[in-house]
């Protein structure tokens, strides 16, 4: 896999893998954790998730500017890892949320999320910029696309394992306290503690039935049970953030021990002392202008891809919890499907691109991105048709059904296998190749900033993530999947319309 690749690719990929492990724990549990910890509505939790996720990518612009100005990418990356570690340490402290501490505890949680987002902003784009600089050497220039695909595989190795950590620790801690896991119970516990006598009769009956299922006493003190179950349930998730702290420290150690083998742009710029004529400067400025126009055009498409794809942490995660049978597999674990598919499918995608290249039919990076948008559309047209045929109502209407009726209507896990297969293939056509595209068109003195712009486009898409849960809870769920299908198809059409110009600029 690493044949004909620069030596610095492996240590850079390993440094990123540890950080991604910690991050994917967060990604898998955040929306559901905010609901179970604080009793927030899904819409509010998704809104916090959207701002957090967007903050990661917006702050990559700040990280890119800092690194470009100081020309000290490595120090910026190290500070990013340290700040992220601090955020995870705060999240790992199990404090039970009550009506008395709700405000300051939620504020502290959001502050911890800010530290993680800011640290990620210092780390993520600048490490990608360093990887791009590895391929500025003409010896490796032809391997740029495949290099970023390899780098992307290592990102997802951490992502495969991470979604198992929180559910495993949560179930272990519940078992240690004599309880079983149930995804629907925390919301009912919060509702009972806040409403008690005014709680809907059907929901009260559902609560009693689930208390018995998880090993509680429905004839005992219900308020005491609800408080105890929520405390145990969420403490297990807090423990999973300790694993995130360990992952950050592993990434930090790998980077510290291998950073001398990675590019040092500041040193390189000191060695270069070239004088250009006025005509050459004008020509260079025009070329840079065209490249930046091309970059912003692709960034516009990326916004809508990430808006659709990152529903895996919001509406798709809620779909796995509500409409898929999760007796043996907890909803967070299904997010491991995406990184698993990335690892399995990347070699085949690379072989396909390599074979086409050898036959003289190489697909340009902009064309690959356009095809990827179409593949994302395939994922959502499948889910929209399936949901319509099953007659699924809105999520709010579905959750109001009795547990027995709801369970009889839930689908098998095969739906998620098909959905994430197409989403992952789409991702492989867009995300790693988007990073490669940015490193191709970015001016050398703006590498960190341009990688930050790519992540900034992702941030804009992530700011819109809360829209999914809003439609999910208000309309028959086939409607929300149709919205994402439309976004993907329109974006694909626009990308194909710009194709010739983009291919000309990136030659």
């Amino acid at each position: 896999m690493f044949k004909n690749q620069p030596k610095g690719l492996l240590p850079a990929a390993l440094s990123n893998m540890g950080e991604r492990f910690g991050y994917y724990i967060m990604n898998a549990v955040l929306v559901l954790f905010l609901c179970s910890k604080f009793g927030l509505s899904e819409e509010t939790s998704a809104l916090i998730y959207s701002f957090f996720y967007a903050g990661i990518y917006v702050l990559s612009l700040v990280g890119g500017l800092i690194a470009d100005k100081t020309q000290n990418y490595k120090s910026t990356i190290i500070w990013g890892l340290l700040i992220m570690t601090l955020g995870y340490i705060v999240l790992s402290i199990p404090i039970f949320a009550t009506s008395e501490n709700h405000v300051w505890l939620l504020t502290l949680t959001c502050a911890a999320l800010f530290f993680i987002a800011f640290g990620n902003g210092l780390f993520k784009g600048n490490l990608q910029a360093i990887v791009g600089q590895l391929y500025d050497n003409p010896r490796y220039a032809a391997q740029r696309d495949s290099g970023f695909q390899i780098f992307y595989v290592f990102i997802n190795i951490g992502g495969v394992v991470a979604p198992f950590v929180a559910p495993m620790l949560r179930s272990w801690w519940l078992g240690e306290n004599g309880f079983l896991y149930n995804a629907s119970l925390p919301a009912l516990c919060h509702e009972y503690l806040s409403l008690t006598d005014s709680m809907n009769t059907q929901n009260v009956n559902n609560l009693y039935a689930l208390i018995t299922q998880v090993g509680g006493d429905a004839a005992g003190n219900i308020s005491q049970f609800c408080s105890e179950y929520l405390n145990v349930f969420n403490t297990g998730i807090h423990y999973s953030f300790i694993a995130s702290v360990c992952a950050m420290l592993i990434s930090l150690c790998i980077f510290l021990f291998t950073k001398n083998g990675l590019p040092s742009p500041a040193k390189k710029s000191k060695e270069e002392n070239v004088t250009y004529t006025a005509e050459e400067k004008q020509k260079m400025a025009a070329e840079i202008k065209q490249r930046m126009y091309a970059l912003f055009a692709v960034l516009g498409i990326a916004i809508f891809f990430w808006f659709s794809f990152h529903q895996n942490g919001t509406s798709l995660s809620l779909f796995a919890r509500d409409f898929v049978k999760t007796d043996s597999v907890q909803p967070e674990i299904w997010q491991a499907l995406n990184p698993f598919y990335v690892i399995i499918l990347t070699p085949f995608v690379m072989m396909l691109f390599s074979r086409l290249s050898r036959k003289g039919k190489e697909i340009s990076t902009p064309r690959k991105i356009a095809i990827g948008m179409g593949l994302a559309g395939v994922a959502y047209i499948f889910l929209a048709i399936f949901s319509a045929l099953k007659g699924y109502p809105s999520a709010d209407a579905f959750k109001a059904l009795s547990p027995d009726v709801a369970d009889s209507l839930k689908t098998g896990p095969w739906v998620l296998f098909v959905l994430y297969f197409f989403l992952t293939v789409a991702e492989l056509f867009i995300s790693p190749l988007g990073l490669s595209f940015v490193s191709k068109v970015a001016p050398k003195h703006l590498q960190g900033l341009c990688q930050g712009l790519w992540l900034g486009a992702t941030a804009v898409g992530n700011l819109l993530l809360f829209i999914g849960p809003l439609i999910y809870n208000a309309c028959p769920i086939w409607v929300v999947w149709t919205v994402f299908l439309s976004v993907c198809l329109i974006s694909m059409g626009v990308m194909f319309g710009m194709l010739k110009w983009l291919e000309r600029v990136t030659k």
Side-chain angles (χ1 to χ4, degrees):
M1 181 181 285
F2 287 91
K3 185 179 179 181
N4 300 322
Q5 298 290 342
K7 291 182 180 179
L9 179 62
L10 179 59
L14 289 172
S15 299
N16 205 38
M17 184 176 72
E19 181 274 331
R20 289 288 88 184
F21 173 82
Y23 170 77
Y24 272 107
I25 291 176
M26 167 68 68
N27 184 58
V29 306
L30 183 55
V31 169
L32 301 180
F33 170 67
L34 291 171
C35 291
S36 64
K37 175 76 175 179
F38 298 102
L40 301 179
S41 68
E42 291 162 3
E43 292 85 355
T44 303
S45 296
L47 189 62
I48 294 173
Y49 177 91
S50 297
F51 278 105
F52 165 67
Y53 225 130
I56 287 174
Y57 296 99
V58 167
L59 292 169
S60 292
L61 283 169
V62 178
L65 286 169
I66 291 171
D68 283 336
K69 186 172 182 178
T70 63
Q71 287 291 283
N72 196 339
Y73 289 72
K74 297 175 184 178
S75 178
T76 307
I77 288 169
I78 291 168
W79 274 107
L81 288 167
L82 290 172
I83 293 171
M84 277 189 283
T85 302
L86 175 62
Y88 285 120
I89 288 173
V90 173
L91 285 180
S92 68
I93 302 171
I95 303 173
F96 180 57
T98 65
S99 57
E100 289 76 21
N101 68 9
H102 185 278
V103 174
W104 72 259
L105 187 57
L106 181 58
T107 302
L108 180 65
T109 300
C110 291
L113 294 176
F114 172 78
F115 282 125
I116 295 169
F118 182 56
N120 209 298
L122 295 174
F123 173 85
K124 188 177 177 68
N126 290 314
L127 185 63
Q128 291 169 185
I130 283 179
V131 173
Q133 289 155 7
L134 290 170
Y135 294 90
D136 288 344
N137 185 334
R139 177 182 175 186
Y140 303 114
Q143 304 300 320
R144 187 182 295 266
D145 277 7
S146 61
F148 271 99
Q149 286 175 314
I150 293 169
F151 182 72
Y152 207 69
V153 166
F154 276 79
I155 289 176
N156 286 276
I157 289 175
V160 168
V161 180
F164 291 87
V165 173
M168 179 184 69
L169 290 174
R170 180 178 57 205
S171 293
W172 164 74
W173 192 241
L174 283 167
E176 288 293 305
N177 288 271
F179 296 128
L180 297 174
Y181 167 80
N182 185 277
S184 303
L185 189 51
L188 291 171
C189 287
H190 277 294
E191 186 178 353
Y192 184 86
L193 290 174
S194 62
L195 299 178
T196 312
D197 294 335
S198 58
M199 187 174 176
N200 178 281
T201 302
Q202 180 61 59
N203 287 350
V204 171
N205 293 335
N206 292 347
L207 175 63
Y208 288 164
L210 292 179
I211 288 174
T212 303
Q213 287 182 23
V214 301
D217 181 8
N221 187 321
I222 302 301
S223 293
Q224 181 180 338
F225 168 84
C226 288
S227 296
E228 185 179 0
Y229 189 82
L230 287 172
N231 189 24
V232 173
F233 188 96
N234 291 303
T235 297
I237 301 177
H238 280 291
Y239 290 158
S240 69
F241 295 126
I242 297 174
S244 295
V245 173
C246 295
M248 293 301 107
L249 295 176
I250 291 171
S251 272
L252 179 62
C253 290
I254 291 172
F255 189 78
L256 288 173
F257 282 115
T258 61
K259 65 186 179 71
N260 290 336
L262 296 172
S264 297
K267 294 180 181 178
K268 183 177 178 182
S269 62
K270 289 178 182 178
E271 295 170 1
E272 296 175 350
N273 186 19
V274 181
T275 303
Y276 297 100
T277 66
E279 184 179 352
E280 287 173 329
K281 288 180 179 179
Q282 187 176 7
K283 185 177 180 181
M284 289 168 61
E287 182 181 349
I288 289 173
K289 198 175 189 180
Q290 282 297 309
R291 286 174 172 267
M292 294 303 289
Y293 284 153
L295 174 61
F296 278 103
V298 173
L299 293 181
I301 299 300
I303 289 172
F304 295 105
F305 172 72
W306 293 118
F307 165 55
S308 303
F309 179 80
H310 278 155
Q311 292 298 319
N312 61 351
T314 54
S315 59
L316 291 177
S317 190
L318 297 173
F319 175 77
R321 183 196 66 184
D322 298 333
F323 290 91
V324 178
K325 294 177 182 176
T326 56
D327 298 335
S328 56
V329 181
Q330 296 176 31
E332 296 92 342
I333 291 177
W334 292 114
Q335 291 201 40
L337 276 176
N338 170 239
F340 171 76
Y341 276 142
V342 168
I343 295 168
I344 296 300
L345 296 175
T346 293
F348 294 100
V349 173
M350 290 176 66
M351 285 169 53
L352 171 64
F353 293 159
S354 178
R355 179 172 295 181
L356 290 171
S357 180
R358 287 196 302 269
K359 291 183 176 180
K361 300 178 181 179
E362 184 174 358
I363 305 175
S364 67
T365 302
R367 187 178 294 272
K368 291 172 184 174
I369 294 172
I371 293 171
M373 291 304 302
L375 291 169
V378 171
Y380 281 112
I381 195 171
F382 158 74
L383 196 55
I385 292 173
F386 174 81
S387 299
L389 291 176
K390 292 284 285 187
Y392 284 146
S394 68
D396 280 349
F398 190 81
K399 285 180 286 188
L401 301 173
S402 68
D404 291 340
V405 173
D407 286 343
S408 68
L409 296 174
K410 290 182 178 181
T411 186
W414 68 270
V415 173
L416 298 176
F417 279 93
V418 175
L419 170 71
Y420 279 110
F421 173 83
F422 285 109
L423 280 179
T424 302
V425 177
E427 181 187 9
L428 292 176
F429 272 72
I430 294 176
S431 189
L433 299 174
L435 299 178
S436 176
F437 177 83
V438 173
S439 70
K440 285 178 185 176
V441 301
K444 290 185 179 180
H445 64 292
L446 297 176
Q447 287 279 334
L449 175 62
C450 288
Q451 289 289 347
L453 286 171
W454 170 261
L455 300 173
T458 312
V460 177
N462 291 337
L463 278 174
L464 304 173
L465 291 178
F466 70 94
I467 294 173
L470 285 176
I471 306 172
Y472 174 82
N473 282 318
C475 304
I477 61 169
W478 66 265
V479 175
V480 68
W481 315 136
T482 302
V483 169
F484 299 129
L485 166 64
S486 302
V487 166
C488 292
L489 294 181
I490 292 170
S491 299
M492 178 185 68
V494 172
M495 191 70 184
F496 273 120
M498 300 187 297
L499 203 55
K500 290 184 179 179
W501 168 60
L502 292 172
E503 290 175 338
R504 186 174 64 253
V505 170
T506 54
K507 280 184 179 178

